[in-house]
Amino acid sequence: MADLVGRTIGAGGRGGGRGVASSMRSSNNNHSDSRQMRASDIGGGSDVSALYNLVESAMFNMPQPDPTTNELRPAELGRMREMLQQTWEGIREWLAAHPNRSDRQNAAMHQGQFLTTTLHMVCKLSDPPVDVVQSLIECSEETVTWPDSNGWLPLHHACANGASGKVLAVLVEAYPEGKIKQDKRYRTPLHFAFFRKDAQEDKMNLKMDARKSMMNPLNDDEDDVGNSMPEIVALLADSGAAELQDEGGMLPMHYASAYGTTREVLEVLLEAYPESITKRENKGRTPLHLAMVNAHRKSSPKVVGFLLEVNAAEIINVYDDDSHLPIHLLSMASKFPEEKIMERKNASDCLKLYLNARPKATADFLTAIQTLPEWLRDIAVISDHIQNILNHKIVQRFPTMILILDFSFLIMVIVVFEITTSQTIDYLFGGTATPTSPGLVFLTFVAGAYFLLREMVQIVSLMALGNAGSWMGDMGNWLDVALIFLIFYFGGVMFTNSPMSNDAFRSGTAITKGIMWMSVISFLKSTQVEFSVFVSGVFYVVQRLAAFLLALSVILLMFSQMFYIIYAQTEECACTSDFPEANPFPHCDFKWSLLKVYTMLMGEIGNEMRYSTLPIAQFLYIAFAFLVVILLSNVLIAIVTDSYGVIKNERSAMVFWANRLDFVAEMDAIKNVGKRIKACCGKGDGAPGAPTNVQETPNGEPIPLEGLEEKASGKFRTAWQSLMNLFDRNLYETYDVQPSSPEFWCYVLVRFGAFFFAIPLWLLIGLCTAGWLWPPQVREWLFQQKKAAISRADMAQEVTNQINQLKAEIMKLRIEMKGEMKSDRKEFAGLKTEVEAIQAEVMADLLQVKEIMVTLLDMSRDNLGTR
């Protein structure tokens, strides 16, 4: 009961905590009011809330950070330091003016808003001095154990607001159990430690320390001892706090991964609780999930690298409760504009680390790669792991079959559509008695049905993976939909010989044929890297020509209007109206004038004598020829050359592998639907997502194979290799076969049969089965592409990374030199002290000698005087 009374009222003081109105009045006080209140508080000794009001007033008057940068401006920062210094001096003065233990205890136990004491409020301020905190604890030791209305101890506040390691050590020493005390949301002080602004900084903050040492190399600052983040975490984690979860199931390791920290801190947390790296919070997310969703933070690459280095096998392929891999969260959280350079760099570094750990090549993984922002997807597709996956997946039987069927049906529908449209035109509009062949039109419907089935299966598979939006955003899919519609529409017209206008039929079928050939271009773009670079280069150039085309359009409109105004109602136009059968003058009508200046741009200058009748027309003709035909044409050539050079030199690999990723992801999505249907029917093969076998690649990297394909693939590979061995140049030397022996002619006969019968027959059967019966070597020769070499941009990035690494090493060297200088200064100080002590002893001895000599001199004088 006595404790309760002391906490709520306090002897000899005003009642209870301060009201909201009083707090608001304090928050409106300016800087000078704070000084006046401090002086009055010190003068009056009966108010137990004076000490609390002093700290609360300082807190309410603290300058607020800039909303755009979330940092204080230099002037505000100086003002904050001055206010903090005045607050600490005010507390010291108050304590000096109130030596009575009872007064101090009552003031320290006074509670204000949210049940906070003066110690709570001091710990909420930035970097409180150790002596102030120690003095407040000595005033009332039990206040360090009191939680506020949120369940926060002073230790919680100190951890969250960046108190020094010495202050935290004082609070922990006063209340050791506070390290594992949880607030109302079950968070410990260790959870709060990762809210600190210095939680993401490297040990000792190398850059700032280097600058300080350069500015003042003789400054012996011992205040940073014990203030590094690893030491603070070690202080808070040694009593089991690393194993305690908050209300969301998050451990301190989850907080460290989400907010970012250093490798040394993660090592401390891992040592305190080794299982924390694989633990999941309430949404099923591991620390790796949280690090990837916050990949834009400065320290996230270090966190991701550490987590994967310690235990990549158990965390890299883990799904959360929403069926998201860590890379899914990176995709959802990395929508940064181009001006966010550092955020993009941090996210790309996290992606590279994740891919270097070689996650499993599941359909979900490929879908996640697809959903990455374009700037991240470009980085992903040139990684060795992704290229290995795409190369080995595209040469499997199902993707090869789809590629061959796509190309076969495209060529078939183009040929058949050409024949049937010609027959229809002859029958409907040419008067031919022979109608369109129903069999050929039926083949057109078959091709349309195949393309429709492909699109439907693709949509269903993407919906099953939760990525239907990617289908909507792909212009190639809308091109396929347009092709399917036109095939069925004009196929129906040709099958029924329905009456239709000549121009409408010809225009519609011409557009359909154009879309068909565009589909061929799209197909080739996904199979041949050179063709992909060319097509993507065209689109890239067009995108970069937007400003040029706008300026060119304005110039063409300008000259067309000027020529039209000059020649309107002149003799040239009158002559054109009098002799309509003659070649008309182009500038008598605005639309023809616009068309003429456009053809002049293409080089069709025409007869310059047309413009010789008027001086202004001659001037405009010369100006147009120079400005548009000569100058702008060369500018266009320069822009096209430069832009295509960029796509060829820097983006060629990205373009091709991005196209291949789309196709392989589509095939995997379709196969994934088949697996789910098979699993629903009770015919699953083991755990979901577990490969039944793997294929060893030439560089020793295993690629999962599925179903029974690996068995047939192995047999076919061996058989084809045996056929190829027949043509080995060293075959005769290996088996020591001579032309005179029967074995030699048997080998010749076998070679002849293999070359002219076995190999062609095998290839033909494989082609008839859409590549299903081809050996793996043939599929690899057709569809595998070489890995992309490092680009100039990657080389520049590598050089930049090396430079940054050298800078970091220089910073560390400076810190080491500073430490050595400190130790040398200590040694010199010790030597100086010893020398001063010896000097003092010598001086004392000299003084004694002097006194003795003076005494002896006086005695000798006295003796001489007596004589």
Side-chain angles (χ1 to χ4, degrees):
M1 180 62 72
D3 291 342
L4 181 61
V5 172
R7 292 180 61 182
T8 55
I9 300 177
R14 291 184 307 194
R18 302 180 63 221
V20 176
S22 175
S23 300
M24 294 301 295
R25 287 193 299 270
S26 298
S27 65
N28 292 327
N29 290 340
N30 56 24
H31 193 192
S32 61
D33 293 338
S34 300
R35 289 185 174 181
Q36 294 173 2
M37 188 190 70
R38 187 189 68 183
S40 64
D41 289 339
I42 296 173
S46 61
D47 189 358
V48 297
S49 65
L51 188 60
Y52 182 92
N53 293 343
L54 170 64
V55 181
E56 185 182 42
S57 176
M59 177 171 294
F60 285 148
N61 288 312
M62 282 294 165
Q64 297 300 317
D66 188 350
T68 57
T69 62
N70 199 28
E71 294 182 357
L72 288 172
R73 291 184 289 271
E76 297 294 332
L77 185 61
R79 177 169 169 259
M80 184 192 72
R81 290 173 180 169
E82 182 181 355
M83 291 183 63
L84 287 173
Q85 188 63 31
Q86 291 174 357
T87 302
W88 309 141
E89 290 300 326
I91 294 175
R92 294 186 182 105
E93 292 174 9
W94 190 96
L95 293 173
H98 297 77
N100 185 275
R101 178 173 179 80
S102 176
D103 291 342
R104 289 188 172 194
Q105 183 177 17
N106 291 334
M109 298 174 65
H110 172 77
Q111 289 183 298
Q113 281 189 325
F114 310 114
L115 299 181
T116 55
T117 65
T118 304
L119 182 60
H120 288 86
M121 300 297 285
V122 165
C123 291
K124 289 174 70 173
L125 292 174
S126 176
D127 195 18
V130 179
D131 65 301
V132 171
V133 175
Q134 184 70 56
S135 298
L136 291 175
I137 294 176
E138 291 174 355
C139 291
S140 178
E141 294 182 358
E142 58 189 284
T143 56
V144 77
T145 68
W146 290 357
D148 62 13
S149 59
N150 293 314
W152 296 9
L153 298 173
L155 183 59
H156 287 86
H157 287 288
C159 289
N161 291 282
S164 66
K166 287 189 174 182
V167 169
L168 298 180
V170 168
L171 294 170
V172 168
E173 183 180 2
Y175 186 40
E177 293 81 3
K179 293 188 288 186
I180 57 173
K181 287 295 180 180
Q182 295 172 289
D183 67 356
K184 291 186 176 180
R185 297 175 61 183
Y186 299 99
R187 294 173 296 183
T188 65
L190 183 57
H191 288 93
F192 281 74
F194 298 101
F195 297 155
R196 300 165 58 98
K197 292 182 179 180
D198 59 345
Q200 300 183 31
E201 296 176 359
D202 288 336
K203 184 168 60 177
M204 304 300 293
N205 200 338
L206 299 181
K207 186 175 293 186
M208 291 301 298
D209 279 356
R211 289 179 180 175
K212 290 179 181 178
S213 59
M214 291 175 64
M215 294 171 59
N216 189 7
L218 299 178
N219 179 29
D220 190 8
D221 185 7
E222 297 293 341
D223 291 339
D224 56 2
V225 176
N227 288 345
S228 67
M229 192 63 188
E231 292 174 306
I232 290 174
V233 172
L235 172 69
L236 299 172
D238 63 358
S239 300
E243 303 178 18
L244 298 178
Q245 297 175 323
D246 68 2
E247 64 178 1
M250 294 177 65
L251 296 166
M253 178 66 81
H254 290 94
Y255 275 66
S257 301
Y259 289 98
T261 189
T262 63
R263 182 183 184 90
E264 292 79 10
V265 171
L266 295 171
E267 289 174 349
V268 172
L269 291 174
L270 184 65
E271 183 179 358
Y273 188 29
E275 293 81 10
S276 62
I277 202 168
T278 58
K279 288 292 183 180
R280 304 190 187 197
E281 36 96 282
N282 292 349
K283 294 183 179 179
R285 298 177 180 178
T286 65
L288 182 60
H289 283 88
L290 298 178
M292 293 292 277
V293 80
N294 292 283
H296 61 283
R297 295 180 181 271
K298 179 181 178 181
S299 300
S300 293
K302 298 176 184 178
V303 174
V304 172
F306 176 83
L307 296 175
L308 293 174
E309 179 183 332
V310 172
N311 200 349
E314 295 187 26
I315 60 177
I316 194 170
N317 299 306
V318 173
Y319 291 85
D320 64 11
D321 293 347
D322 296 324
S323 300
H324 288 151
L325 291 166
I327 195 171
H328 281 101
L329 303 184
L330 173 65
S331 173
M332 292 186 289
S334 297
K335 309 254 187 317
F336 301 109
E338 292 184 2
E339 57 268 18
K340 298 288 186 178
I341 298 175
M342 290 307 301
E343 286 80 358
R344 283 192 168 199
K345 180 184 181 301
N346 295 333
S348 62
D349 289 344
C350 290
L351 176 63
K352 291 175 184 177
L353 291 167
Y354 183 83
L355 295 178
N356 289 339
R358 304 193 179 281
K360 290 182 180 178
T362 61
D364 291 321
F365 171 73
L366 293 177
T367 302
I369 296 292
Q370 271 189 302
T371 58
L372 288 171
E374 183 179 0
W375 57 275
L376 272 180
R377 188 168 62 248
D378 289 343
I379 295 173
V381 295
I382 60 174
S383 71
D384 288 343
H385 183 57
I386 296 297
Q387 290 181 12
N388 278 331
I389 291 173
L390 298 180
N391 265 334
H392 287 278
K393 279 185 172 290
I394 202 168
V395 299
Q396 292 178 2
R397 285 178 167 179
F398 182 71
T400 300
M401 181 189 71
I402 297 298
L403 280 173
I404 295 177
L405 288 177
D406 286 350
F407 186 72
S408 301
F409 276 103
L410 269 176
I411 298 301
M412 182 188 76
V413 76
I414 288 174
V415 174
V416 172
F417 198 79
E418 175 66 26
I419 297 172
T420 53
T421 51
S422 299
Q423 291 178 351
T424 302
I425 290 173
D426 292 340
Y427 179 73
L428 293 179
F429 312 113
T432 305
T434 305
T436 307
S437 172
L440 293 177
V441 177
F442 178 75
L443 289 178
T444 303
F445 285 133
V446 170
Y450 170 78
F451 295 135
L452 178 61
L453 178 63
R454 281 272 283 109
E455 291 301 317
M456 292 178 63
V457 172
Q458 180 184 2
I459 293 173
V460 171
S461 60
L462 290 175
M463 289 177 63
L465 291 174
N467 192 30
S470 65
W471 187 94
M472 301 291 292
D474 189 352
M475 294 304 299
N477 294 326
W478 292 106
L479 181 69
D480 295 338
V481 170
L483 177 62
I484 293 168
F485 172 77
L486 292 173
I487 286 175
F488 279 107
Y489 178 77
F490 286 104
V493 171
M494 292 184 291
F495 186 78
T496 59
N497 291 319
S498 302
M500 191 176 187
S501 68
N502 190 353
D503 292 340
F505 182 80
R506 293 175 187 272
S507 301
T509 52
I511 293 173
T512 304
K513 292 176 183 179
I515 295 177
M516 289 178 180
W517 285 110
M518 289 176 64
S519 298
V520 173
I521 292 175
S522 178
F523 172 83
L524 294 176
K525 190 175 70 169
S526 64
T527 55
Q528 297 296 322
V529 62
E530 295 83 3
F531 199 82
S532 174
V533 171
F534 171 75
V535 174
S536 300
V538 172
F539 284 103
Y540 185 82
V541 169
V542 172
Q543 291 175 357
R544 296 301 181 272
L545 285 177
F548 174 83
L549 293 176
L550 179 61
L552 181 62
S553 301
V554 172
I555 293 173
L556 292 180
L557 285 171
M558 176 183 71
F559 276 98
S560 63
Q561 281 189 337
M562 288 191 295
F563 279 123
Y564 169 70
I565 291 299
I566 288 173
Y567 284 103
Q569 303 301 324
T570 59
E571 293 180 0
E572 287 80 0
C573 293
C575 182
T576 300
S577 60
D578 293 340
F579 301 96
E581 69 278 359
N583 188 21
F585 192 72
H587 299 298
C588 296
D589 185 85
F590 176 72
K591 63 180 180 180
W592 291 110
S593 179
L594 181 60
L595 180 61
K596 179 58 181 176
V597 295
Y598 178 74
T599 57
M600 290 169 67
L601 168 67
M602 297 294 103
E604 185 183 332
I605 298 297
N607 186 4
E608 65 276 6
M609 297 303 295
R610 287 180 171 180
Y611 304 98
S612 61
T613 57
L614 297 173
I616 185 63
Q618 285 184 323
F619 173 77
L620 291 179
Y621 178 82
I622 295 171
F624 182 86
F626 174 76
L627 179 63
V628 179
V629 179
I630 298 177
L631 186 61
L632 288 185
S633 297
N634 283 280
V635 171
L636 176 62
I637 293 172
I639 293 175
V640 171
T641 303
D642 183 67
S643 299
Y644 188 76
V646 171
I647 194 73
K648 183 177 180 180
N649 297 327
E650 303 294 342
R651 293 183 52 83
S652 57
M654 298 177 184
V655 169
F656 171 75
W657 291 105
N659 294 330
R660 174 152 290 189
L661 171 67
D662 293 338
F663 178 79
V664 170
E666 177 187 346
M667 295 301 100
D668 258 34
I670 293 173
K671 291 168 68 176
N672 192 58
V673 172
K675 288 180 184 178
R676 294 189 179 186
I677 294 175
K678 185 177 180 181
C680 292
C681 297
K683 299 180 180 180
D685 299 325
T692 56
N693 210 330
V694 296
Q695 170 187 333
E696 288 293 332
T697 63
N699 59 358
E701 299 169 358
I703 299 294
L705 297 175
E706 302 168 16
L708 299 177
E709 181 176 346
E710 71 279 2
K711 297 180 181 179
S713 177
K715 294 178 181 178
F716 281 24
R717 183 179 292 274
T718 302
W720 183 263
Q721 187 61 45
S722 299
L723 287 176
M724 294 298 102
N725 287 338
L726 293 173
F727 302 94
D728 186 4
R729 294 180 179 180
N730 301 321
L731 180 65
Y732 295 138
E733 297 178 2
T734 303
Y735 293 99
D736 194 19
V737 178
Q738 302 297 326
S740 58
S741 64
E743 289 85 357
F744 174 83
W745 296 104
C746 288
Y747 277 126
V748 171
L749 183 62
V750 171
R751 278 185 171 185
F752 181 84
F755 187 80
F756 289 100
F757 294 101
I759 294 177
L761 182 61
W762 195 349
L763 294 178
L764 181 61
I765 293 174
L767 183 62
C768 294
T769 57
W772 196 266
L773 297 180
W774 271 342
Q777 292 92 327
V778 174
R779 299 196 296 268
E780 291 168 1
W781 181 78
L782 285 174
F783 300 116
Q784 271 194 354
Q785 296 290 331
K786 295 180 179 180
K787 296 179 183 178
I790 185 170
S791 66
R792 289 184 296 178
D794 295 330
M795 294 175 63
Q797 182 63 39
E798 185 67 23
V799 171
T800 302
N801 293 338
Q802 292 178 0
I803 292 174
N804 292 335
Q805 185 176 359
L806 289 174
K807 288 181 178 178
E809 292 177 357
I810 292 173
M811 292 296 178
K812 290 181 180 179
L813 181 60
R814 287 176 175 173
I815 297 303
E816 292 176 359
M817 292 178 62
K818 179 184 176 182
E820 293 178 359
M821 290 174 65
K822 283 185 177 181
S823 62
D824 292 341
R825 286 198 300 272
K826 290 179 181 178
E827 293 180 3
F828 287 140
L831 291 174
K832 181 180 178 181
T833 303
E834 293 178 3
V835 170
E836 289 176 350
I838 295 173
Q839 184 179 6
E841 292 178 2
V842 172
M843 291 299 295
D845 293 340
L846 290 175
L847 289 174
Q848 291 179 0
V849 171
K850 180 181 179 181
E851 291 177 357
I852 293 172
M853 293 298 294
V854 170
T855 304
L856 292 175
L857 183 60
D858 292 340
M859 292 175 62
S860 63
R861 287 177 179 174
D862 292 340
N863 292 333
L864 290 175
T866 57
R867 290 181 184 178

